[in-house]
Amino acid sequence: MTVRMKDIARDLSVSVVTISKVLRNHPDVGDETRERVLARVKELDYRPNLAARGLVTGRTHLIGLVVPDLLHPFFAEIAKSLSDVLRKGGYCLIVSSSDEDMVLEEEEINQLLRAGWTR
């Protein structure tokens, strides 16, 4: 069963807002409460639902990259380097290959746009 912030809040008799603030490292949560929340988060192995967070914040922290060929060392190096830089900024890179097919490339880009990604 997936653990939700609501579950942690109920367990600790605090609000979901408090859980959210602790997870975002907001300064107006007391140390004792913060420690209790973080301990429970760790105990339950809580992982935020990034899709839900993206709906609320309008930000997914995902970057899409469509390359013509994943086997070519040039594109592989670009993807690796970009991923390294993005990861340091809290983003994740999603890579897709168009296999040098313009129709497939357009489909891949449109799929990212349908998922709510922007150019």
Side-chain angles (χ1 to χ4, degrees):
M1 183 174 133
T2 303
V3 177
R4 302 168 300 169
M5 284 196 298
K6 184 196 271 188
D7 301 323
I8 297 169
R10 185 187 61 242
D11 290 350
L12 300 176
S13 298
V14 298
S15 71
V16 172
V17 172
T18 298
I19 304 300
S20 177
K21 285 182 176 184
V22 169
L23 295 175
R24 290 181 291 120
N25 202 26
H26 199 277
D28 71 349
V29 178
D31 291 339
E32 181 183 331
T33 301
R34 181 178 308 279
E35 288 173 18
R36 286 178 50 226
V37 169
L38 291 175
R40 189 69 176 145
V41 163
K42 184 176 181 178
E43 178 183 332
L44 295 174
D45 195 25
Y46 171 76
R47 295 170 194 220
N49 181 324
L50 298 181
R53 182 181 287 172
L55 288 172
V56 172
T57 65
R59 299 179 71 187
T60 63
H61 288 88
L62 299 172
I63 305 290
L65 173 67
V66 180
V67 296
D69 182 356
L70 284 172
L71 297 178
H72 192 286
F74 174 75
F75 297 115
E77 185 59 35
I78 294 268
K80 182 186 179 323
S81 297
L82 187 56
S83 181
D84 290 344
V85 170
L86 291 171
R87 189 176 307 111
K88 291 175 186 169
Y91 287 81
C92 181
L93 181 66
I94 305 297
V95 181
S96 178
S97 174
S98 67
D99 294 326
E100 298 186 26
D101 179 336
M102 292 298 287
V103 174
L104 183 55
E105 181 175 321
E106 186 173 350
E107 287 176 11
E108 292 291 327
I109 291 169
N110 285 331
Q111 181 66 22
L112 292 173
L113 293 173
R114 281 192 298 276
W117 299 29
T118 58
R119 293 179 190 235

